[in-house]
Amino acid sequence: MILYNNLKRFYSIGKFADRLPYTLGQALNETRPNLIKPGDITAGITAQEYYLRRLKLLDKLPAKSCVILPSNITRYASGSVFYKFQQNTDFYYLSGFDEPNSLIILEKPNDNLEESLFHMLVQEKDPFKEKWEGARTGTENSYNFFNADEVYDIKNWKPYLEKILKSSEKVFFNIDYSFSTFANDEIAKVINDSGKTFLNYKRIISENRLIKSEDEIAIIRKCGQISGRSYNEAMAAKIQSEKNLQAFLEYKFISNGLDSSGYIPVVAGGPNALTIHYTINNDIIRDDEMVLIDAGGKFGNYTADISRTFPIMGKFSEPQRELYEAVLDAQRECIKVCSQVVSGGVSFADLHNFSRELLYRNLQQLGGFKDLEKNIDVLYPHHIGHYLGLDLHDVPSISMKEALKENSVITIEPGIYCPADDSFVPKHYQNIGIRIEDNVALLADGNYSNLTVEAVKEVVDIENVIANGTNRSMSESFLKPLI
């Protein structure tokens, strides 16, 4: 009942005035009602959903266990120049708390989930530091707004953790040095000094994160809709500078209602598209070249991930069109079979092999490629896609060989990259790179939804958008209203 009562406490806070008499470290409805709805902790995700996420994780754990999750820390580029803060997504998924130098602990004393405890250890408010670094939520506000059962000053985390460890028989903690998390090695030492060993929780939480709620899918859909329409506006702009095209697209993401870009965009004109993760984005796009863009807008820490390739001046040459249609056909077919993947026990690896066979067939029909069977993996060197969620490449601990699951979100992204001066590539296809990517939700009963359908990809639609702008008639999917 403790967590339930805290949930009720959260919903009662709406009685506060429009401007609270204190500041918080992140947007909440009480301070940013233009961004966060009543009852939500973060954009589109309710306090109840965060509560249920914690219970779902604890339900998979034995009695007398605890889960220890540190937040990320602020990283510095040089001196006092800091990078934009990016939260540990497991930490964020369970709490919605978006501040550095923090710790959450989920404790399950017995098999009664209602007696489980949610501990938060956060930075206390400090007027001097907040003047320079921005507001902190602090312990009292964290208790009031984030439904914790106990909140403590992070400065004294060691004795607090030692106390919890005394009553915990199973300890779940994950060390991953690819992230800059708070007190990683020190936490491991405290656990070891207590005589306990710790178990990795990553697989357990990844299984939960893999299956998206209706609210999560709705947020990714919003990212996809707005990002897709922003793409169309960028196509119509005919901007022949990679960096200016990137700036225009990111401006459209934000001005149309998203928070930011979800990742550093790829804006690759001409042969630059042969580099899969080309992000320097500082070249000129020539009149006869196509540009490959891989970008997506972010909202509430979820992101879209879209790739489109189009002729910068609006007309495909014959070789460009032929290669483009070969990739587009493969992408269409892969999306179509999303109605069968869950019921058929299809894995991501199976879907990739299907896309490889389609591209091989399509290139073979075009003709001119030598030793195609041997060279198909040179022309198509990356995987068909990945899971999508709070991380761009979400839940990597879920193997590509595992069967795809209902209510997961995946990307479908075949590509072709034809190098220059290679004897197996026909001359007229050399220096062309093409990739087309959409985001697909695998829904119940064999249904699926293309979450990025607004971004035009048919040849006729691309040429119409570039010739006439985004206000002329085009495919029905483009005309669907925004969320």
Side-chain angles (χ1 to χ4, degrees), residues 235 238 285-291 309-317 320 324 459 462-463 466:
M235 289 182 191
K238 296 183 182 177
I285 307 166
R286 281 75 181 174
D287 287 357
D288 61 345
E289 291 179 339
M290 292 195 295
V291 58
T309 310
F310 55 93
I312 194 66
M313 297 307 291
K315 283 292 182 182
F316 288 88
S317 70
Q320 289 170 348
Y324 184 88
V459 168
I462 290 174
E463 291 186 343
I466 298 174

Side-chain angles (χ1 to χ4, degrees), residues 236-362:
K238 296 183 182 177
I239 297 170
Q240 292 185 259
S241 158
E242 290 174 348
K243 70 176 180 180
N244 289 353
L245 184 52
Q246 174 185 341
F248 181 88
L249 185 63
E250 293 185 299
Y251 162 71
K252 286 298 179 180
F253 289 164
I254 296 169
S255 63
N256 287 332
L258 301 180
D259 295 333
S260 65
S261 278
Y263 52 96
I264 300 173
V266 171
V267 183
N272 297 329
L274 300 180
T275 301
I276 309 299
H277 289 156
Y278 173 89
T279 56
I280 192 169
N281 302 344
N282 62 0
D283 203 355
I284 299 301
I285 307 166
R286 281 75 181 174
D287 287 357
D288 61 345
E289 291 179 339
M290 292 195 295
V291 58
L292 187 161
I293 301 179
D294 186 337
K298 184 177 184 178
F299 185 76
N301 278 336
Y302 292 83
T303 185
D305 184 11
I306 303 173
S307 294
R308 291 292 185 266
T309 310
F310 55 93
I312 194 66
M313 297 307 291
K315 283 292 182 182
F316 288 88
S317 70
E318 194 60 28
Q320 289 170 348
R321 181 192 297 268
E322 288 173 349
L323 274 182
Y324 184 88
E325 291 282 13
V327 177
L328 181 59
D329 175 74
Q331 205 240 10
R332 282 197 212 101
E333 293 303 311
C334 287
I335 291 177
K336 283 180 186 176
V337 301
C338 285
S339 62
Q340 306 164 30
V341 293
V342 173
S343 61
V346 174
S347 71
F348 234 141
D350 296 329
L351 193 57
H352 173 73
N353 289 335
F354 179 60
S355 70
R356 186 180 180 277
E357 291 170 8
L358 291 168
L359 285 172
Y360 175 82
R361 179 201 67 189
N362 292 348

Side-chain angles (χ1 to χ4, degrees), residues 61-310:
L61 304 182
K64 295 188 177 179
S65 63
C66 68
V67 186
I68 304 163
L69 294 99
S71 75
N72 280 351
I73 62 174
T74 303
R75 295 295 304 275
Y76 289 85
S78 176
S80 60
V81 179
F82 51 86
Y83 292 108
K84 179 177 173 59
F85 177 67
Q86 172 64 53
Q87 187 58 283
N88 173 352
T89 47
D90 285 339
F91 179 102
Y92 185 88
Y93 177 78
L94 293 169
S95 67
F97 193 68
D98 203 17
E99 296 180 37
N101 306 323
S102 307
L103 193 65
I104 61 173
I105 304 170
L106 306 183
E107 187 180 7
K108 185 179 180 181
N110 52 56
D111 287 323
N112 184 353
L113 283 178
E114 290 191 349
E115 295 183 11
S116 299
L117 297 170
F118 173 36
H119 306 265
M120 293 182 69
L121 291 89
V122 303
Q123 295 182 113
E124 189 54 278
K125 294 191 73 64
D126 183 326
F128 177 79
K129 289 191 174 180
E130 289 179 69
K131 188 175 185 66
W132 289 93
E133 299 173 1
R136 296 176 179 177
T137 297
T139 54
E140 181 180 354
N141 295 333
S142 294
Y143 178 81
N144 287 332
F145 287 93
F146 289 89
N147 308 311
D149 299 299
E150 295 183 12
V151 182
Y152 207 63
D153 190 336
I154 192 66
K155 288 181 179 178
N156 302 310
W157 67 267
K158 285 186 180 180
Y160 192 94
L161 177 58
E162 288 168 347
K163 179 182 176 182
I164 292 175
L165 290 172
K166 287 180 181 177
S167 58
S168 299
E169 295 178 357
K170 298 286 186 181
V171 179
F172 292 84
F173 173 66
N174 181 56
I175 291 184
D176 188 342
Y177 290 108
S178 60
F179 301 96
S180 299
T181 48
F182 169 79
N184 223 337
D185 292 327
E186 293 92 333
I187 292 171
K189 185 176 185 304
V190 170
I191 297 171
N192 290 330
D193 289 347
S194 73
K196 308 287 172 64
T197 57
F198 53 87
L199 305 167
N200 193 322
Y201 66 80
K202 197 70 178 178
R203 172 69 194 194
I204 304 170
I205 195 170
S206 291
E207 289 174 352
N208 291 353
R209 284 180 54 180
L210 174 66
I211 309 305
K212 302 296 187 286
S213 69
E214 289 184 7
D215 287 342
E216 288 181 291
I217 292 174
I219 294 172
I220 301 172
R221 173 70 179 124
K222 176 174 182 175
C223 293
Q225 277 191 319
I226 294 176
S227 297
R229 293 198 170 187
S230 298
Y231 259 86
N232 298 337
E233 293 181 88
M235 289 182 191
K238 296 183 182 177
I239 297 170
Q240 292 185 259
S241 158
E242 290 174 348
K243 70 176 180 180
N244 289 353
L245 184 52
Q246 174 185 341
F248 181 88
L249 185 63
E250 293 185 299
Y251 162 71
K252 286 298 179 180
F253 289 164
I254 296 169
S255 63
N256 287 332
L258 301 180
D259 295 333
S260 65
S261 278
Y263 52 96
I264 300 173
V266 171
V267 183
N272 297 329
L274 300 180
T275 301
I276 309 299
H277 289 156
Y278 173 89
T279 56
I280 192 169
N281 302 344
N282 62 0
D283 203 355
I284 299 301
I285 307 166
R286 281 75 181 174
D287 287 357
D288 61 345
E289 291 179 339
M290 292 195 295
V291 58
L292 187 161
I293 301 179
D294 186 337
K298 184 177 184 178
F299 185 76
N301 278 336
Y302 292 83
T303 185
D305 184 11
I306 303 173
S307 294
R308 291 292 185 266
T309 310
F310 55 93

